[in-house]
Amino acid sequence: MAKAIAALLAGAAAIALLTPPASAQQATDQQQTDPSEKTEDTKPAPAGVTLLDKILVISRTGETAIESLASASHVDQEQLDRRMATTPNEMLLGVPGVTVQADARRVSSSINIRGLQDFGRVAVIVDGARQNFQRSDHGTQSTFYVDPELIKSVDVIRGPVANTYGSGAIGGVVFFDTKDAEDFLKPGETWGASVTGRYESNGKGWTTSTSGAYKFNDNWDVLGNIVYRDYDDYKNGSGDTVAGTGFDVLSGLLKTTIRPSENSQLKLGWVGSSDGWTETSGSVPANDVDLKSNTFTARYNITDDAKSWLDLHINASYNKTNLDLTTLVPQNRFDPVTGLPVVLPAGSTSTFDVGTTGIDMWNTSRFETAGIAHELTYGGDWVGDDVETGGTSGGDSFYTPSGKRNVSGAYVQDRLSWDWLEVITGLRYDNYSLKDSDNETSGDRLSPRITVGVTPFESASLAGLQFYGTYAEGYRSPSLTETLISGNHPAGVTFPFLPNPNLRPETGKTTEFGVNYKLNDIIEAGDAFRLKAAYFHNDVDDYIEGVTLSAFDPTSGCPFGPGIPICFQYQNFAQAKINGFELESVYDAAWGYAGLSASIINGHTISYEGERADLATIPSSQVTGQLGFRFLEDKLTVGGEVQYNGKPKGNPVAKDYTLVNAFASYQATDNLKVDFRADNLFDVKYTNPLNGGTTAVIYEPGITLKLAATMRFGG
């Protein structure tokens, strides 16, 4: 039946994609403005504006993705609506260099950028708040969850050029910006409300979302949103049910914007979720999981009238995540202190409480000297993690030790522009300390950045062509788990974990060469072509990875004890070497759009003895094509996506695979919108290569049909 449905939908999609548009007009992409200024998403974009022309919320100097001399991408509200995302994984489809790992616990995700992930290598930020929750296990290590229904845009900056956004982000930064009242209300409205209902065939789940916004006056508005999702276990491409993949989650958002003056703005927000799911062992339910997350943010911006010397931002945030794990059946375990067998009774608990406090301040001053324009950005940030874990002896909390970590930094960056030349120079200072009841360690470092961009041509066809080269460094301190984990493995078989308080921080050193190109009015008036491409090479000195030590080797420091004669310890490697190529391009016209993105990544580690090994966190190389058509004065959009995934070198479970998706969106009336999407149209059975390190291969969902309707009211 599923195959017949897939074939039918594939034929319908092909007819829709190959039929010439009956009626088309200029695309109504909304151009996002500087977050410090008022914006109306309901305004149509001017001619020649594409996704890469949208201003990056994460940008501290107000540039768009196509203007950025870095590998930057922007995902806007239109794209998010089109993807009908259930999990964070689906929000980032086709973004080059970015892969999301989610095992059977698909409500929690870990983001991989250019082969780097976990333990803060990628900074995941929601409305300015770092998401540093960690629960170490055989799968993902550093996870987060934010409901896609609450998000209006996602910005990505790849590589350590993102070091002005916080310490440790040697892989890059992903910034999720939640919805505001002004994104929801139409011009002239003082209130608005909407209700969305969505059904998904695979997992047979429902999503319901209710939003409401109110504008008290021109200087004060508020938005609230509540989302509930309830899903059963999904089936993979072979039609087999994947145990433990069902979940139910309740999420909410409350956000208010206050404008004390014409040049200042204060945003106060709360984002929260309450999740539940069942973990399995050998397809048998083993643990009941309850997770609650609350993020509180305050973001203030003030400028002078000309936004010249003063463009000050002050962000403060607190994120608290509590995860309680309860065993459903008795489990044979080992005492983590003695290594002796114990029985973990049904009803035993493991608790993970992680609190993250952050402060981030910066100012940008704009001025000229001798005909050279300067954008001088300077600031500092501090993030503190407070981790408390516990529960029944022999439980899973053993893998994540308690402790405190403080990371702080300060930086200065100058962006100089003169005619065809642009130069960015920057310097960041990082400092960290971490401790538990028995150990304490600290360190600091200066990390430089220099970027040179040239726009050498003046002819109409080449005036939008820009070349750039970058050298940037980043600094990541060891995490609490990497440094302090100690005791005997409590499950399956027992062996010791050795702490390593002498771990050295990682230093990422990236060289990147890129090109930006933009051209308007190519085939018809108002169309636009944008392209970003880059080659990068990243050397991560003192790369940290878990290694297995033999008790038979007297130099390993691994003692004989109960269980098998090995130990596990996080150790430094001389280097991790990662290189690759990324491409992002889009053509947009009145009739529709076409996009192509690609990412090719290779990487390996080198020990201090010169031994080379494939890096386990290298994702699939990907090529993603997108095509969409607009009909009926842009009320109807139909299209599809094709993504090829190439097997990473040395991965034992990975295979090449190709996914095909189709979508349609119809604005039936001003108050009614209907969306349809078919993911994995041909029911391919595949697994994310990043899950190759887990104890069992997790196969991703097979064909999934989604149908949604949204009713909106306002006045």
Side-chain angles (χ1 to χ4, degrees):
M1 180 65 178
K3 298 291 186 182
I5 294 174
L8 178 62
L9 289 171
I15 293 171
L17 291 175
L18 294 175
T19 301
S23 175
Q25 70 179 42
Q26 180 59 39
T28 57
D29 278 347
Q30 289 89 31
Q31 184 177 15
Q32 182 177 325
T33 60
D34 190 314
S36 66
E37 299 174 351
K38 294 184 179 181
T39 145
E40 292 287 355
D41 277 356
T42 54
K43 294 179 181 178
V49 171
T50 73
L51 190 67
L52 289 173
D53 293 287
K54 306 294 180 69
I55 291 176
L56 299 166
V57 174
I58 198 173
S59 169
R60 304 211 154 166
T61 51
E63 72 261 28
T64 64
I66 196 65
E67 294 170 339
S68 176
L69 299 183
S71 294
S73 297
H74 178 81
V75 182
D76 69 355
Q77 185 67 67
E78 182 183 350
Q79 282 190 310
L80 294 175
D81 290 344
R82 185 185 307 146
R83 289 168 187 176
M84 300 178 68
T86 303
T87 64
N89 178 27
E90 296 162 310
M91 285 193 282
L92 294 165
L93 172 72
V95 177
V98 180
T99 305
V100 182
Q101 180 184 5
D103 52 23
R105 303 188 303 269
R106 58 184 178 139
V107 292
S108 298
S109 303
S110 177
I111 295 183
N112 180 302
I113 296 183
R114 292 180 170 178
L116 295 173
Q117 75 178 96
D118 286 336
F119 300 123
R121 293 183 178 103
V122 174
V124 178
I125 303 173
V126 176
D127 282 350
R130 287 284 288 258
Q131 306 296 299
N132 284 359
F133 178 75
Q134 182 198 324
R135 175 200 167 193
S136 292
D137 204 340
H138 290 282
T140 55
Q141 305 290 317
S142 302
T143 61
F144 79 101
Y145 177 75
V146 61
D147 197 289
E149 284 289 310
L150 308 179
I151 302 302
K152 71 173 179 182
S153 68
V154 187
D155 288 338
V156 177
I157 296 182
R158 296 175 283 277
V161 295
N163 63 14
T164 56
Y165 309 101
S167 179
I170 60 175
V173 175
V174 181
F175 191 103
F176 295 89
D177 196 33
T178 60
K179 296 175 181 176
D180 293 287
E182 59 187 356
D183 303 311
F184 188 76
L185 296 174
K186 295 181 179 180
E189 288 185 341
T190 58
W191 67 274
S194 72
V195 178
T196 298
R198 188 170 88 207
Y199 175 75
E200 298 186 26
S201 65
N202 196 352
K204 295 182 179 179
W206 284 92
T207 294
T208 57
S209 174
T210 303
S211 302
Y214 187 78
K215 178 189 281 189
F216 297 95
N217 53 54
D218 289 342
N219 297 318
W220 183 20
D221 54 48
V222 64
L223 172 73
N225 192 320
I226 187 167
V227 185
Y228 179 67
R229 300 181 187 270
D230 189 4
Y231 292 88
D232 295 332
D233 294 344
Y234 66 71
K235 294 182 179 181
N236 63 29
S238 294
D240 300 320
T241 299
V242 181
T245 56
F247 66 92
D248 63 273
V249 52
L250 178 66
S251 302
L253 162 71
L254 186 61
K255 195 172 184 181
T256 185
T257 302
I258 303 169
R259 302 170 186 88
S261 68
E262 185 177 349
N263 298 327
S264 63
Q265 179 175 268
L266 173 65
K267 290 186 178 183
L268 303 175
W270 164 79
V271 178
S273 63
S274 176
D275 306 345
W277 67 93
T278 300
E279 293 182 346
T280 61
S281 177
S283 299
V284 177
N287 300 309
D288 182 67
V289 183
D290 181 66
L291 184 146
K292 291 180 173 59
S293 177
N294 291 280
T295 298
F296 302 91
T297 57
R299 294 188 284 172
Y300 179 70
N301 172 226
I302 185 170
T303 72
D304 60 86
D305 289 338
K307 196 182 282 189
S308 56
W309 63 272
L310 180 66
D311 189 0
L312 176 65
H313 295 255
I314 303 174
N315 295 350
S317 64
Y318 179 70
N319 173 256
K320 179 73 169 179
T321 302
N322 309 98
L323 186 147
D324 296 327
L325 186 150
T326 304
T327 59
L328 298 175
V329 294
Q331 300 179 24
N332 295 321
R333 293 292 184 98
F334 296 93
D335 187 287
V337 177
T338 65
L340 298 177
V342 296
V343 175
L344 196 65
S348 299
T349 60
S350 296
T351 60
F352 305 80
D353 294 342
V354 179
T356 300
T357 306
I359 299 175
D360 187 6
M361 301 173 59
W362 75 93
N363 184 61
T364 299
S365 298
R366 300 170 176 87
F367 55 93
E368 285 192 10
T369 59
I372 299 175
H374 296 259
E375 284 185 308
L376 182 65
T377 303
Y378 42 95
D381 48 71
W382 169 81
V383 174
D385 291 328
D386 188 354
V387 180
E388 295 183 8
T389 61
T392 309
S393 179
D396 287 14
S397 60
F398 159 78
Y399 299 103
T400 309
S402 301
K404 298 180 184 292
R405 186 179 73 143
N406 291 287
V407 179
S408 59
Y411 56 87
V412 60
Q413 175 179 286
D414 194 9
R415 179 181 177 186
L416 304 93
S417 302
W418 176 78
D419 196 16
W420 51 269
L421 177 65
E422 185 175 332
V423 178
I424 302 174
T425 59
L427 188 66
R428 179 180 174 90
Y429 169 77
D430 285 296
N431 177 280
Y432 80 93
S433 65
L434 58 87
K435 64 180 179 179
D436 64 0
S437 56
D438 301 317
N439 300 282
E440 183 172 358
T441 185
S442 62
D444 61 354
R445 189 180 190 275
L446 285 171
S447 301
R449 174 202 178 177
I450 183 168
T451 299
V452 178
V454 295
T455 309
F457 303 108
E458 296 182 356
S459 66
S461 60
L462 296 177
L465 183 61
Q466 184 179 46
F467 301 95
Y468 70 88
T470 289
Y471 176 78
E473 296 184 3
Y475 180 74
R476 184 189 77 89
S477 68
S479 69
L480 290 165
T481 293
E482 292 170 309
T483 307
L484 304 177
I485 188 171
S486 176
N488 290 284
H489 187 268
V493 294
T494 188
F495 54 87
F497 282 80
L498 302 182
N500 191 352
N502 296 318
L503 269 180
R504 291 179 295 277
E506 296 175 343
T507 302
K509 301 177 179 179
T510 293
T511 303
E512 180 175 315
F513 299 97
V515 58
N516 298 331
Y517 183 55
K518 56 183 179 180
L519 184 62
N520 297 333
D521 303 324
I522 309 163
I523 300 175
E524 60 185 46
D527 68 356
F529 175 71
R530 301 289 184 266
L531 179 145
K532 286 181 73 73
Y535 168 81
F536 68 90
H537 181 90
N538 190 3
D539 288 333
V540 183
D541 293 345
D542 297 317
Y543 182 76
I544 299 172
E545 192 170 57
V547 298
T548 301
L549 308 174
S550 172
F552 298 104
D553 181 357
T555 65
S556 69
C558 177
F560 279 96
I564 58 177
I566 63 169
C567 295
F568 183 91
Q569 186 181 48
Y570 286 99
Q571 292 189 353
N572 291 108
F573 283 71
Q575 280 187 330
K577 289 183 172 290
I578 306 171
N579 62 76
F581 171 78
E582 295 163 350
L583 168 72
E584 184 174 14
S585 62
V586 61
Y587 173 77
D588 203 324
W591 53 265
Y593 65 90
L596 180 68
S597 63
S599 175
I600 301 171
I601 306 176
N602 294 291
H604 60 273
T605 59
I606 301 176
S607 71
Y608 292 103
E609 292 75 31
E611 297 178 354
R612 174 172 168 164
D614 293 322
L615 191 59
T617 54
I618 296 299
S620 296
S621 293
Q622 294 181 339
V623 178
T624 305
Q626 302 182 54
L627 183 63
F629 293 95
R630 304 181 180 103
F631 301 87
L632 305 178
E633 297 182 343
D634 295 349
K635 292 180 180 180
L636 173 64
T637 302
V638 297
E641 303 150 352
V642 178
Q643 184 181 80
Y644 168 77
N645 294 262
K647 166 183 166 64
K649 182 180 178 182
N651 191 295
V653 302
K655 296 181 179 179
D656 296 349
Y657 63 92
T658 300
L659 301 177
V660 179
N661 310 319
F663 58 85
S665 177
Y666 180 53
Q667 188 73 49
T669 69
D670 289 343
N671 296 322
L672 175 62
K673 182 184 178 186
V674 179
D675 293 283
F676 169 78
R677 185 173 177 90
D679 285 325
N680 193 1
L681 201 57
F682 296 107
D683 225 5
V684 175
K685 184 179 181 180
Y686 71 101
T687 184
N688 184 339
L690 295 177
N691 284 326
T694 60
T695 53
V697 176
I698 303 295
Y699 287 100
E700 302 296 323
I703 182 172
T704 303
L705 309 181
K706 302 178 182 181
L707 181 64
T710 300
M711 287 291 297
R712 188 192 183 281
F713 310 92

